[in-house]
Amino acid sequence: MVYTEVNETRRSRRNPLLISLCVVFMAIVILSVTLGLTLGRSSSGSLKATFTNRCQTYLKDNGGTTSQNDCEKIWESFKKAFVGRNPCDVPPEAYDSLLDTVSQDPACNRMLFWSKTKDIVHAFTEKSSCYLTLEDTLLGFTLDGLTWCGKNQSQETFTTGCPEWSDCVNNPVRSFWNGASAAFAATACGDASVMLNGSIDVPFNPTSIFASVEVKNFNSSIMNGLTVLLVTKETDTKTCGTDASLKDLQKQLDPKLKYTCKVVTQSTIQNCISQPQITCGDCW
Ligand code: N1C
C-alpha cells in the first residue's frame, strides 16, 4: 500500500514534466518545418524578383522596351536551363537557348575582357562608356554576383545549398559564365582589350574563364587584335616582356590577331576615373 502510493506520487509528478517536454519538442519540429518551407520559398521567390528587377532596370537604362513581359519570358528561359536538374549536371549548353534569345549587338573596338581585375574594371566601366564588358550586357548585368541552382525532380529554384564553383565543373553558375563568356568572346570584333592582374604570379591563368573559354572563342575573321592592359601597383616589378604567362597567351592567340601589351598602374586608372569627364583613349 505504502509502496503504491509512493509510486503514484512519482508518476503524477513525472507526467507534467513529460508532457511539457513533448510540447516543446513538437513546437521545435513544427517551427523548423515552417521555417524551412518559408526560407526555401522566399529564396526562390527573391531570385525571380532580383532577376526580373535587374532585367527591367537594364532594359530601362539601355533604351529597350520596359515591358514586364520580356523579363518574365527571359526568366522562364533562364529557369529551363537548370530547374529539375541535378545541380552538378548542368552543362554550358543548357544556356544555349537563353543566350540565343537574348543575343546582343557586338560593340566593335570597345569590348573589354578581364581576369582577376573585376573591381577595377567595373569601377572604370561604371564611370565611362568607353568599354563594354559582359556585365554590361543584359544577362551579365542581371546575373552578376548571384548564385542559383535547381534540384532533381523539383520545380523550385534555390539560392542557398548550391554547389560551390570548385565542387563540380557542370554547376549552374559556372556553366552560365562559361556559356555566356564563350558567346560574348565569339562576337568580339575589331580591337578588343583585356585587363590582367600584374600583381599576381600568373596573370594569364590557364584555369581562368578568360584563358580557357574566351581566348579559344575569338574569331580572327572579325577581330583585328588584342591589347593586354597589365594592371600593376607602383611596387610591382612585372612587365609585359618578362611575364611567362603572357608568352603563353601570345602562343595561344591566332597568329592573324595583332598582340599588344601595356603596363597600366592602378593609380593611373584611379586618376582617370576621378576626372569629371573621361575622354576615351586618354587613360593609357
Ligand atoms: O575566370 P575569369 O576571371 O578569367 O573570368 C573573367 C572573364 C571576363 O572576361 C568575363 O567576360 O569571363 C567573363 N566572366 C564574367 O563576365 C563574370 N562576371 C562575374 C567570368 N566570370 C564572371 N563572374 C564571376 O567572376 C564568376 O562567377 C567567377 O566566380 C568569377 C571569375 O572571375 P576571374 O577568376 O577573376
Side-chain angles (χ1 to χ4, degrees):
M1 187 64 186
V2 173
Y3 172 81
T4 322
E5 259 174 27
V6 170
N7 228 8
E8 259 166 20
T9 324
R10 268 195 202 144
R11 219 179 285 138
S12 61
R13 261 193 217 138
R14 218 183 272 149
N15 276 349
L17 185 70
L18 262 178
I19 290 166
S20 344
L21 277 177
C22 281
V23 168
V24 171
F25 178 74
M26 289 299 286
I28 291 174
V29 170
I30 292 169
L31 195 73
S32 345
V33 170
T34 324
L35 256 182
L37 288 178
T38 327
L39 287 180
R41 259 192 222 126
S42 68
S43 70
S44 68
S46 73
L47 179 65
K48 182 178 180 181
T50 310
F51 188 101
T52 48
N53 283 342
R54 285 194 188 179
C55 172
Q56 277 156 28
T57 305
Y58 182 91
L59 290 178
K60 220 178 279 164
D61 292 352
N62 289 275
T65 58
T66 54
S67 132
Q68 162 94 20
N69 201 19
D70 289 342
C71 291
E72 289 269 341
K73 276 190 198 140
I74 298 170
W75 162 255
E76 289 303 323
S77 168
F78 166 65
K79 251 177 46 172
K80 278 196 192 119
F82 64 93
V83 163
R85 280 187 159 189
N86 174 336
C88 275
D89 192 17
V90 177
E93 301 78 55
Y95 294 97
D96 280 354
S97 145
L98 172 73
L99 292 164
D100 282 347
T101 24
V102 195
S103 66
Q104 199 121 358
D105 290 341
C108 296
N109 304 315
R110 293 202 301 122
M111 283 171 78
L112 178 61
F113 299 88
W114 52 266
S115 192
K116 308 287 181 288
T117 48
K118 190 178 181 189
D119 290 347
I120 193 130
V121 164
H122 291 130
F124 182 72
T125 52
E126 254 167 44
K127 279 286 306 239
S128 79
S129 46
C130 304
Y131 291 99
L132 187 105
T133 66
L134 180 50
E135 291 70 37
D136 301 306
T137 67
L138 188 140
L139 288 174
F141 174 84
T142 301
L143 291 164
D144 192 22
L146 301 185
T147 300
W148 64 90
C149 65
K151 212 160 89 179
N152 238 341
Q153 293 173 335
S154 158
Q155 283 311 296
E156 280 202 75
T157 58
F158 301 88
T159 53
T160 52
C162 298
E164 294 291 324
W165 189 263
S166 55
D167 284 346
C168 45
V169 179
N170 280 343
N171 78 61
V173 176
R174 189 168 171 158
S175 289
F176 169 76
W177 290 112
N178 274 324
S181 304
F184 184 63
T187 67
C189 42
D191 291 310
S193 308
V194 60
M195 277 195 190
L196 298 180
N197 191 333
S199 302
I200 57 176
D201 280 348
V202 189
F204 178 69
N205 193 317
T207 63
S208 67
I209 294 188
F210 176 66
S212 64
V213 176
E214 294 180 322
V215 167
K216 294 191 165 83
N217 276 278
F218 285 155
N219 177 353
S220 62
S221 64
I222 53 172
M223 204 170 146
N224 292 327
L226 178 74
T227 298
V228 171
L229 302 162
L230 189 64
V231 183
T232 57
K233 297 195 191 87
E234 262 68 23
T235 48
D236 290 336
T237 52
K238 239 182 223 317
T239 64
C240 287
T242 54
D243 180 71
S245 77
L246 292 180
K247 300 228 161 68
D248 295 337
L249 169 57
Q250 284 179 74
K251 268 186 235 150
Q252 280 175 42
L253 269 190
D254 186 320
K256 288 188 213 102
L257 295 179
K258 184 170 182 279
Y259 169 86
T260 316
C261 178
K262 269 183 212 169
V263 168
V264 185
T265 60
Q266 274 188 16
S267 58
T268 306
I269 301 175
Q270 265 139 13
N271 277 341
C272 197
I273 294 172
S274 61
Q275 302 300 313
Q277 200 92 50
I278 301 178
T279 316
C280 295
D282 273 5
C283 282
W284 45 79

